[in-house]
Amino acid sequence: MRLVLEGFLNTVALTLLAFFGALLVGSAVAVLRIVPVPLLRAVGAVYVEVWRNIPLLAWLVLFVFGLPEVGVTMPLFWTACVAIALYEAAFVAEALRSGVSSVAHGQGEAARALGLTFRQSLRYVVLPQALKRVVQPLANIAIALTMATALAGVVGVVDMTRAAQRINLELAQPLLVFTGVGLCYLVMSAFIGYGARVLERRLA
Amino acid sequence: MGRLFVAAVLLFVAGCSGGESAVPGGSKLDALLAKAPVHSGEVTPGSAVDRIRKRGKLLIGGSQDAPLLSQLDPISGELTGFDAYLGKLLAHYILGKPQTELVSATSETREPLLGNGTVDVIIQTYTITPQRAERVAFAGPYYRSGQAIAVRKGTSGITGPADLTGKTVVVGANTPGVKAVREAAPTAKIVEFGSDPECVTALKQGRGEAYVQDQAILVADASKDPELQLVGEPFTEDPYGIGIEHGDAEFTRFVNDWLREIGESGLWQEVWKLSIGTVVTGDAPAPPAIAS
């Protein structure tokens, strides 16, 4: 029972921390992708293409076994957390960018015509409109991230799925154990979905 | 997941080199097959044996990434190891030819695979436990193994399972090692990795102070890697059984008869020499006594 609780808490912590990290990094990358400086846009594009086109499992294995080879050894939980955050950041960046793109061109032009700087037009005109459109895509990413935390179990983190596998090793009741775990993930995802709906209504 | 990933990579590599017919060790297995017994008695219509004969091949639930036990050779595409060879011999006993198909099983899928008839048998270092015996039938045990401890060369202070208390221990995910460590040293912190090479790397990188795994696998690892050192003798005894659909007493008896036969004829020992005996020195052990 302690194992179940430990697994559940680790999954929740991993989800929250990694999503928070992904939001931070993803916002920065999204800004890189839309600034009017070609070099920075290229940097943003390379980040997105490199991170989202390599499977998360490969990133996790590279981080956990590769980083110590170059002298960087972090606890397994944090290694997994950073890898998941950097991976999901690529998706967050694209969701944010498409939100910004969805704001009609005329809005940005009008802002510029009024004499607003790039920063001001983003802050006061484009972002407020973009934000409510990205709530649902971001919720999708948050839910995908919740599921992706299960991969951390492969690299030594005791998450909910890993805890379930340990219990099943003794109980030999996979259908029962994994239905229970599935329900836990469902509750977490439903919670994220509910939060997104509330947030969307607030921003509307 | 880790196993699946490794298996997928191996399959991919195997696919790339398709068309090669050279099978290392294959001829040795052929020599065994020439001596292997074929069932000659009556077959009850509708029984498991009848079903397998009508299908023309034996469906085995097992692994592709367990060294010495059941590992897919990426070059030849052949499955090698103790479990794999026994599967071939069992198919040969039933069908007269070593026609098998491996269905990748994991510790989460073994009981359902047997329960819904996707596989005929599970041969996958499947430790016989009372809890599992309530869900599946076991033939055997066909092998007795034990969990042993490996450390980085030069590590002091770990001479037996009791010394694992309070330490961080690397264990293969979903292996009997998880339970073994928990029982031998309840306060040890267990860190699991998906495959044996990952566990060895983790130990060498200091993710844990010791690595607990089946002795045969550790011996194989240590023979390839001078940084590894085995500590003492195995501290558990895991009887591996062949998993069969729950309640199929007839097929269980059938497989037990076959195990007894290959044990008495010396074939079991030859399979051991071809697989585990390539890294564990000394003579083949005596096959375990069949339970019923």
Side-chain angles (χ1 to χ4, degrees):
Chain A
M1 204 56 219
R2 227 187 58 230
L3 193 64
V4 179
L5 192 68
E6 184 193 349
F8 179 72
L9 290 180
N10 269 339
T11 292
V12 172
L14 208 51
T15 303
L16 289 177
L17 290 167
F19 188 63
F20 185 68
L23 277 183
L24 281 182
V25 178
S27 306
V29 175
V31 171
L32 285 180
R33 294 217 68 180
I34 54 174
V35 289
V37 183
L39 181 69
L40 294 181
R41 278 213 303 274
V43 170
V46 166
Y47 181 93
V48 168
E49 295 309 333
V50 168
W51 278 94
R52 75 172 177 188
N53 291 339
I54 292 177
L56 178 57
L57 186 58
W59 281 119
L60 283 169
V61 171
L62 282 175
F63 266 58
V64 169
F65 296 110
L67 287 184
E69 293 293 322
V70 294
V72 183
T73 307
M74 289 189 289
L76 288 169
F77 178 86
W78 291 105
T79 313
C81 193
V82 169
I84 294 172
L86 292 178
Y87 173 80
E88 297 290 348
F91 295 92
V92 169
E94 286 304 90
L96 292 178
R97 187 170 71 99
S98 68
V100 171
S101 310
S102 75
V103 178
H105 274 299
Q107 300 275 338
E109 284 161 10
R112 243 171 293 148
L114 286 170
L116 269 59
T117 63
F118 173 75
R119 206 183 248 225
Q120 285 171 324
S121 68
L122 261 191
R123 169 84 182 75
Y124 298 108
V125 180
V126 179
L127 280 187
Q129 300 183 67
L131 270 182
K132 82 167 194 253
R133 293 178 197 168
V134 298
V135 168
Q136 288 305 339
L138 284 182
N140 274 342
I141 293 170
I143 289 171
L145 187 149
T146 310
M147 307 305 158
T149 57
L151 288 176
V154 180
V155 290
V157 179
V158 183
D159 75 314
M160 198 151 60
T161 306
R162 169 60 51 210
Q165 279 166 335
R166 265 194 210 173
I167 290 160
N168 178 53
L169 218 49
E170 273 174 52
L171 289 186
Q173 297 272 14
L175 296 182
L176 202 71
V177 171
F178 283 88
T179 305
V181 168
L183 286 175
C184 287
Y185 281 109
L186 187 133
V187 168
M188 286 177 68
S189 307
F191 191 73
I192 294 171
Y194 174 75
R197 272 196 299 281
V198 171
L199 196 63
E200 200 177 30
R201 233 175 284 139
R202 285 260 175 87
L203 290 169
Chain B
M1 226 25 233
R3 285 194 170 189
L4 276 177
F5 177 66
V6 171
V9 171
L10 286 178
L11 270 176
F12 174 72
V13 174
C16 292
S17 63
E20 284 193 34
S21 54
V23 177
S27 56
K28 287 185 206 150
L29 186 63
D30 288 344
L32 286 192
L33 286 169
K35 290 186 267 183
V38 176
H39 178 62
S40 54
E42 286 292 306
V43 174
T44 321
S47 67
V49 175
D50 186 41
R51 195 179 66 221
I52 296 161
R53 282 204 175 161
K54 284 198 175 119
R55 192 195 301 124
K57 65 180 170 190
L58 179 68
L59 300 176
I60 302 173
S63 311
Q64 301 178 328
D65 61 350
L68 302 175
L69 296 164
S70 185
Q71 189 173 34
L72 192 66
D73 186 319
I75 294 165
S76 66
E78 280 295 295
L79 209 58
T80 61
F82 190 76
D83 285 1
Y85 295 154
L86 279 186
K88 289 279 182 202
L89 291 178
L90 178 58
H92 185 266
Y93 184 66
I94 297 170
L95 300 160
K97 54 181 181 178
Q99 204 66 46
T100 59
E101 184 181 320
L102 184 85
V103 177
S104 269
T106 61
S107 50
E108 301 89 70
T109 60
R110 290 192 289 220
E111 291 84 17
L113 283 174
L114 282 174
N116 62 27
T118 311
V119 299
D120 300 312
V121 289
I122 297 272
I123 310 182
Q124 194 184 29
T125 58
Y126 199 5
T127 308
I128 302 171
T129 67
Q131 287 102 319
R132 284 177 180 161
E134 283 170 22
R135 310 250 299 138
V136 299
F138 281 107
Y142 66 92
Y143 189 66
R144 266 186 205 287
S145 184
Q147 299 292 313
I149 305 169
V151 294
R152 289 181 297 275
K153 197 154 262 175
T155 305
S156 58
I158 297 179
T159 54
D163 298 325
L164 298 177
T165 303
K167 299 236 168 47
T168 305
V169 182
V170 177
V171 181
N174 301 324
T175 64
V178 180
K179 189 165 171 252
V181 172
R182 209 158 51 211
E183 280 169 6
T187 57
K189 187 173 182 299
I190 297 173
V191 184
E192 288 167 85
F193 292 96
S195 67
D196 170 61
E198 288 178 332
C199 289
V200 172
T201 311
L203 176 69
K204 283 158 68 180
Q205 291 178 343
R207 295 282 184 198
E209 281 121 303
Y211 171 28
V212 169
Q213 176 63 279
D214 190 288
Q215 191 202 19
I217 296 173
L218 285 185
V219 169
D221 288 337
S223 70
K224 284 180 294 191
D225 196 327
E227 280 184 59
L228 244 55
Q229 186 178 9
L230 260 74
V231 174
E233 288 297 302
F235 62 95
T236 64
E237 194 153 271
D238 302 320
Y240 296 155
I242 295 180
I244 289 167
E245 190 184 351
H246 192 235
D248 194 343
E250 189 186 345
F251 191 44
T252 310
R253 211 177 315 115
F254 179 91
V255 176
N256 275 335
D257 287 344
W258 166 75
L259 280 173
R260 242 176 249 121
E261 194 174 334
I262 62 166
E264 282 159 15
S265 71
L267 207 58
W268 186 96
Q269 286 86 341
E270 292 194 40
V271 173
W272 186 89
K273 275 186 208 139
L274 259 189
S275 49
I276 299 165
T278 57
V279 295
V280 176
T281 48
D283 287 336
I290 308 302
S292 57

